[in-house]
Amino acid sequence: MIAADSHNSEAGPQWAGITGVIATVSVFAIAQGLSYPLLSFILQRQGVSPAMIGLSAAMTPVGFILSSPLIPGLARRFGAGRTALTCAALSAVVLALIGWTQNVYLWFPLRFLIGVVTNPLYVLSEIWVIALAPPARRGRIMGLYSTIISAGFATGPLCLLAVGTEGWPPFLVGICAFVLCGICLASVLPRLPRVDEAGHQVSVMGFMPLAWLLLSAVVVAAGFEQAALALLPVYGTHYGIAEARMSALLSVMIAGNIAMQVPLGLLAERLTARLVRFICVLLTLFGCALLPVLIETPLVWPCVFVWGAVSYGIYTMSIIELGERFTGSALVAGNAAFSLMWGVGGILVPPLAGGVMDVLGAGGLPATLGAICAVLALATIIRRRVL
């Protein structure tokens, strides 16, 4: 289970811990938000096909998948704080190696390693925030958590507008962000909860039958986000849209997360996280249908704003429901299972969408994303009828 130190029982240290963790992960998200479009732009300039770009992007989720079952044990053996700090340092090193090699084939193992070393930062931060959040305010706090992480992701593509996509400058921004992430985390470690031996009671694989629909929602949210980050720049080139405009469009999409996750969290407190998640799935599906119609018009900007908000809202609602339904070792295993399924979505959907784009052209991206949303909506309806 999760056990907080005695001084964390007071409201002040709880809020200080929440603030510190969110600040840490937001800085980390800058590096992640920068790396996906940056590497896609570089590969595209090298003449790499959309399918290969999607496969390259999928290496990071492979790292998520293989490392997720190990995280609870690593946190217990070495301490959650020490594990996260080590991962922040290793992330900076691996990103430097990616910038140094500039080779599509060498990037496959390096992007895999990025997934392995960044994954514990995600998992442990969510455990810390859920453990510290008062149950009555969990919706808004997890919404705020998602909002500030999204702000970090949005800053990443915006950095490309400032430093460009060539040479060392964009890589140095990401490396510095990982270093700052470690500094922020070290400053709040005494206020954070710890993971103790009760984590052995529920394994990651044993958790999956307990919440299969939640985990399916995570697959869809992950696949949507990572396919959009990796392939939306490629999608834009089919319409002759410049790299700078596509970077800005990605930032607007992520800005939808920034504006809407707290309102969605508040709505989940009034309704239920499950109902709000279903609404988000339907609106995401609608956005997939609208994208090809609006991509060359000014209306594409509000479209992708809402599209980004509700697509990531699927994950926000899922993590809120996870905190409502599970505690202790099940919560630890659930967070790790979420990360594993995030990796599954990331490894399946980007190469699938890239392959469909090779066959159908630009329309393959919204068609693929719309199809996975339709399957999740149908599964939600069927589950409700069964129950």
Side-chain angles (χ1 to χ4, degrees):
M1 63 184 293
I2 300 172
D5 295 333
S6 60
H7 62 269
N8 282 346
S9 62
E10 300 175 6
Q14 284 184 341
W15 286 108
I18 291 170
T19 302
V21 173
I22 292 176
T24 298
V25 180
S26 67
V27 175
F28 162 68
I30 293 174
Q32 289 289 84
L34 175 146
S35 65
Y36 277 98
L38 170 64
L39 301 186
S40 292
F41 286 140
I42 293 172
L43 292 177
Q44 190 174 354
R45 283 198 300 268
Q46 295 176 355
V48 177
S49 70
M52 183 66 77
I53 293 173
L55 284 171
S56 178
M59 291 300 99
T60 296
V62 172
F64 289 166
I65 292 171
L66 296 183
S67 63
S68 291
L70 307 177
I71 293 172
L74 288 172
R76 286 190 299 269
R77 181 170 181 178
F78 301 106
R82 184 178 299 174
T83 299
L85 284 173
T86 302
C87 287
L90 291 175
S91 298
V93 172
V94 177
L95 185 58
L97 290 173
I98 290 175
W100 179 57
T101 55
Q102 295 281 317
N103 182 286
V104 62
Y105 299 107
L106 291 177
W107 280 5
F108 274 78
L110 290 174
R111 295 184 83 168
F112 167 79
L113 288 176
I114 278 284
V116 170
V117 298
T118 59
N119 191 26
L121 292 171
Y122 277 124
V123 173
L124 295 173
S125 69
E126 287 185 353
I127 292 172
W128 283 325
V129 174
I130 291 173
L132 290 170
R137 299 181 180 179
R138 182 172 288 122
R140 69 195 74 180
I141 290 174
M142 297 312 298
L144 180 63
Y145 173 81
S146 296
T147 293
I148 298 180
I149 290 178
S150 297
F153 275 109
T155 303
L158 284 175
C159 288
L160 297 182
L161 296 178
V163 301
T165 61
E166 298 183 2
W168 273 104
F171 288 98
L172 290 176
V173 171
I175 292 166
C176 291
F178 280 129
V179 172
L180 183 57
C181 169
I183 294 172
C184 292
L185 180 60
S187 68
V188 298
L189 275 182
R191 301 183 183 274
L192 300 182
R194 59 184 175 82
V195 179
D196 66 19
E197 289 300 320
H200 283 301
Q201 294 179 359
V202 180
S203 68
V204 171
M205 301 307 294
F207 176 84
M208 291 186 177
L210 304 178
W212 65 267
L213 187 60
L214 277 179
L215 297 173
S216 299
V218 173
V219 171
V220 170
F224 181 96
E225 178 181 90
Q226 296 190 41
L229 287 172
L231 294 173
L232 198 58
V234 181
Y235 181 85
T237 63
H238 284 266
Y239 295 91
I241 300 174
E243 286 186 2
R245 186 171 186 266
M246 291 309 301
S247 291
L249 199 64
L250 281 173
S251 295
V252 168
M253 185 177 74
I254 300 172
N257 303 350
I258 299 171
M260 294 302 297
Q261 297 311 304
V262 171
L264 287 173
L266 289 169
L267 186 61
E269 291 177 5
R270 294 180 63 87
L271 303 175
T272 65
R274 184 177 301 175
L275 176 58
V276 177
R277 184 179 67 244
F278 182 64
I279 294 170
C280 287
V281 172
L282 294 180
L283 291 176
T284 303
L285 176 59
F286 187 53
C288 293
L290 286 179
L291 182 65
V293 179
L294 302 180
I295 185 63
E296 296 183 282
T297 74
L299 291 176
V300 71
W301 299 95
C303 174
V304 298
F305 180 87
V306 176
W307 202 35
V310 295
S311 63
Y312 197 76
I314 297 171
Y315 181 81
T316 301
M317 296 305 105
S318 299
I319 199 70
I320 291 171
E321 186 175 344
L322 177 72
E324 291 172 348
R325 291 174 54 185
F326 301 99
T327 59
S329 62
L331 179 59
V332 177
N335 275 102
F338 267 39
S339 180
L340 191 154
M341 300 311 288
W342 186 274
V344 169
I347 191 176
L348 292 180
V349 179
L352 174 62
V356 176
M357 290 177 74
D358 282 344
V359 175
L360 300 182
L365 179 62
T368 303
L369 298 180
I372 63 173
C373 290
V375 170
L376 179 59
L378 182 61
T380 303
I381 294 170
I382 291 173
R383 182 184 184 278
R384 184 173 181 83
R385 289 181 177 176
V386 170
L387 293 179

